[in-house]
């Protein structure tokens, strides 16, 4: 089995968490002689090659991060340039993010199912998981702790040919944190994190409060 994997992150390969996830996933997927080709939309010089590969491959995975609760604009810009297929191609997704709760990725997941249809492909499911903020900031064992579980997902995909699998669904982890944890995180964001974000924004020359709404009705 051969799979085309497209990294949909706007971050360049070297700094992309998605890149490290794809590498682990491919390890598991290729264990029994399967093969992958990997491209990055962050490198516009590859776009012609990705379009050509998209046209001929019948099994495609787009791996992407959630950016501001959405699909990265650069990926959508690229996809605007490919021709819809309608030839039985299966399109699956690896959707990953920084925050850990599965619930915040569900809207993106629902859109990806539609996106497969818009591109004339059959939907092969979406592997959903957060808690990946720090992959690129860590090394050796710390990075392995976050990326190695994706290897097993590669094994499952190789066996099943899709992410429509109980093990993949469980991989997401908790849909929501318990109430106490959510309250604590909310408190930290309103206090310590707000203070640090304010400090950072001032260092970058911002002289307005973080919740400034220049187009809000009250202004
Ligand atoms: C501009 C920006 C927006 C982001 N928005 C979200 C978000 O809405 N929810 C979330 O869980 N993570 C968010 N993240 C975190 C990324 O999804 C996460 O770090 C991901 O692993 C990045 O993958 P990449 O390095 O391949 O781009 C955001 C990151 C950036 C830089």
């Amino acid at each position: 089995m051969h799979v085309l994997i497209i990294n949909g992150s706007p971050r360049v390969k070297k700094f992309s968490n998605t890149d490290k996830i794809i590498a682990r996933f491919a390890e598991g997927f290729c264990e029994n002689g399967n093969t992958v080709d990997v491209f990055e939309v962050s490198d516009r010089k590859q776009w012609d090659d990705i379009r050509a590969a998209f046209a001929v491959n019948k099994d495609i995975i787009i791996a992407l991060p959630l950016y501001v609760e959405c699909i990265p604009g650069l990926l959508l810009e690229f996809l605007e340039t490919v021709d819809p297929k309608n030839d039985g191609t299966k399109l699956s997704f690896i959707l990953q993010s920084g925050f850990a709760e599965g619930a915040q990725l569900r809207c993106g997941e629902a859109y990806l199912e539609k996106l497969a249809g818009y591109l004339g492909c059959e939907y092969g499911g979406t592997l959903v998981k957060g808690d990946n903020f720090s992959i690129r900031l860590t090394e050796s064992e710390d990075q392995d702790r976050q990326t190695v579980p994706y290897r097993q997902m590669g094994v499952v995909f190789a066996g099943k040919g899709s992410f429509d699998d109980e093990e993949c669904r469980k991989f997401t982890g908790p849909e929501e944190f318990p109430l106490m944890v959510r309250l604590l995180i909310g408190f930290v964001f309103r206090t310590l994190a707000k203070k640090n974000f304010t400090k950072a924004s001032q260092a970058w020359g911002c002289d307005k409060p973080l919740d400034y709404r220049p187009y809000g009705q009250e202004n």
Side-chain angles (χ1 to χ4, degrees):
M1 186 180 181
H2 179 77
V3 169
L4 165 67
I5 305 182
I6 301 171
N7 180 347
S9 171
R11 262 193 193 139
V12 292
K13 182 177 163 71
K14 184 178 170 194
F15 297 116
S16 164
N17 292 336
T18 313
D19 175 69
K20 300 1 168 223
I21 287 169
I22 290 171
R24 286 296 182 194
F25 179 86
E27 267 178 27
F29 179 76
C30 296
E31 228 172 59
N32 291 319
N34 294 319
T35 51
V36 293
D37 275 327
V38 182
F39 291 94
E40 294 84 34
V41 297
S42 60
D43 179 4
R44 282 181 186 265
K45 290 194 291 303
Q46 294 184 21
W47 282 24
D48 284 345
D49 291 340
I50 310 176
R51 256 189 302 274
F54 188 87
V56 296
N57 277 272
K58 291 288 185 79
D59 227 312
I60 302 172
I61 296 175
I62 300 180
L64 66 150
L66 199 65
Y67 269 32
V68 200
E69 302 293 321
C70 295
I71 313 303
L74 187 70
L75 174 61
L76 290 180
E77 186 185 334
F78 167 74
L79 291 173
E80 288 288 333
T81 72
V82 306
D83 292 325
K85 301 198 67 174
N86 298 310
D87 63 353
T89 294
K90 183 159 45 62
L91 181 57
S92 313
F93 300 91
I94 296 174
L95 178 62
Q96 60 93 10
S97 76
F99 295 114
E101 291 171 299
Q104 55 120 22
L105 295 125
R106 296 301 175 198
C107 204
E109 181 188 18
Y111 174 74
L112 292 175
E113 183 168 0
K114 289 185 178 172
L115 182 62
Y118 297 153
L119 294 168
C121 299
E122 285 167 23
Y123 180 56
T126 299
L127 183 67
V128 172
K129 192 179 178 314
D131 205 11
N132 290 320
F133 268 125
S134 59
I135 292 178
R136 71 197 183 94
L137 307 172
T138 52
E139 284 174 19
S140 51
E141 291 112 53
D142 285 336
Q143 189 175 93
D144 288 351
R145 188 182 52 75
Q146 297 177 86
T147 57
V148 164
Y150 279 94
R151 184 194 287 161
Q152 173 59 15
M153 293 300 103
V155 172
V156 172
F157 190 87
K160 188 102 185 195
S162 81
F163 291 121
D164 185 14
D165 179 271
E166 196 47 36
E167 203 176 338
C168 298
R169 277 186 280 279
K170 282 195 183 140
F171 188 69
T172 304
E175 272 309 287
E176 283 189 356
F177 290 143
L179 180 64
M180 280 313 289
V181 177
R182 279 185 277 145
L183 289 173
L184 186 68
I185 292 172
F187 178 72
V188 169
F189 263 85
R190 278 193 299 278
T191 54
L192 189 66
K194 189 173 178 187
K195 200 170 151 196
N196 287 337
F197 284 137
T198 303
K199 222 167 132 187
S201 68
Q202 283 167 352
W204 292 333
C206 175
D207 59 2
K208 298 284 191 294
L210 289 181
D211 52 4
Y212 181 58
R213 299 173 65 193
Y215 304 109
Q217 279 180 341
E218 68 272 25
N219 293 301

